Amino acid sequence: MMPLTKDTILQYAAEYDRTRTASDKSVEEEMKAKLKNQRFLTREDFIKIGIWKSPRQKKRYESNRGEAVRELTALSFTATTEEARLGCLLALNGVSFPLASVILHFAFPDEYPILDFRALWSLGWELPSDYSFIFWTDYCTRLRELAKEHGVDLRTLDKALWQYSATHQK
């Protein structure tokens, strides 16, 4: 389990940043900037985000129609309940909780962490056999608490947890 201090979080987040490709960084920056004002995803942007998270599912992402991507992401981004916000995204082919978390993080970076098996390992959490809404809300709540406790934003914490696992998980 990762020793969580502000210094270790900043150290591993910086290491994460040093090891990312220019493409990885540009997709994240581009999508966050776009979604500040545009409250939906185009099919092309959806596919780009999907490949950023998990390239193996590319064919599944591509099977979604543009109209469905636009409508479901617009509904998600304007939903008033967490169940609806998440459920709209899970209706898209190729979207599971981890990809939904990326989409929500890019659209609402101060509210949603990115769910990843590496972050779970770094926290000492057991990887569930199947994600659930309750697991998701518990994860979001805990990461928000940790980020606040250590005076970092959610993305810095995400990066640190991911990198700690990449460095130490055998």
Side-chain angles (χ1 to χ4, degrees):
M1 193 163 92
M2 180 178 176
L4 289 171
T5 66
K6 186 171 186 172
D7 287 342
T8 59
I9 291 168
L10 294 175
Q11 171 195 340
Y12 281 101
E15 186 176 336
Y16 175 96
D17 285 337
R18 282 191 299 277
T19 62
R20 294 301 98 200
T21 66
S23 175
D24 277 349
K25 291 176 186 175
S26 71
V27 168
E28 182 173 354
E29 291 169 6
E30 175 191 354
M31 291 299 109
K32 284 181 177 179
K34 185 177 277 192
L35 292 175
K36 275 186 179 179
N37 300 312
Q38 177 181 295
R39 302 317 281 168
F40 64 88
L41 288 173
T42 65
R43 181 175 177 272
E44 293 73 26
D45 290 340
F46 168 73
I47 293 168
K48 189 182 287 189
I49 292 171
I51 291 169
W52 183 90
K53 177 63 175 152
S54 180
R56 294 180 312 258
Q57 299 293 324
K58 182 180 179 197
K59 292 224 181 285
R60 293 184 71 199
Y61 309 143
E62 291 173 338
S63 73
N64 290 285
R65 292 181 313 107
E67 298 85 8
V69 170
R70 183 181 177 117
E71 184 173 8
L72 287 166
T73 57
L75 288 169
S76 173
F77 297 167
T78 59
T80 58
T81 66
E82 291 296 319
E83 295 90 342
R85 183 167 277 179
L86 188 63
C88 289
L89 297 176
L90 294 175
L92 291 164
N93 194 19
V95 177
S96 60
F97 281 80
L99 179 54
S101 75
V102 171
I103 294 168
L104 289 174
H105 174 73
F106 285 179
F108 307 97
D110 297 329
E111 295 179 46
Y112 294 100
I114 295 175
L115 179 61
D116 190 274
F117 77 93
R118 290 192 177 282
L120 295 174
W121 184 88
S122 294
L123 292 167
W125 288 28
E126 190 171 321
L127 186 66
S129 58
D130 195 23
Y131 292 110
S132 68
F133 181 74
I134 291 170
F135 181 89
W136 165 246
T137 56
D138 289 347
Y139 180 78
C140 289
T141 299
R142 184 64 184 131
L143 263 70
R144 289 173 188 139
E145 292 168 352
L146 287 171
K148 184 176 181 180
E149 177 184 333
H150 296 291
V152 297
D153 61 42
L154 284 171
R155 187 62 178 129
T156 299
L157 181 58
D158 283 333
K159 291 175 182 181
L161 294 170
W162 193 98
Q163 189 60 49
Y164 183 83
S165 168
T167 302
H168 297 284
Q169 191 174 12
K170 304 285 186 252

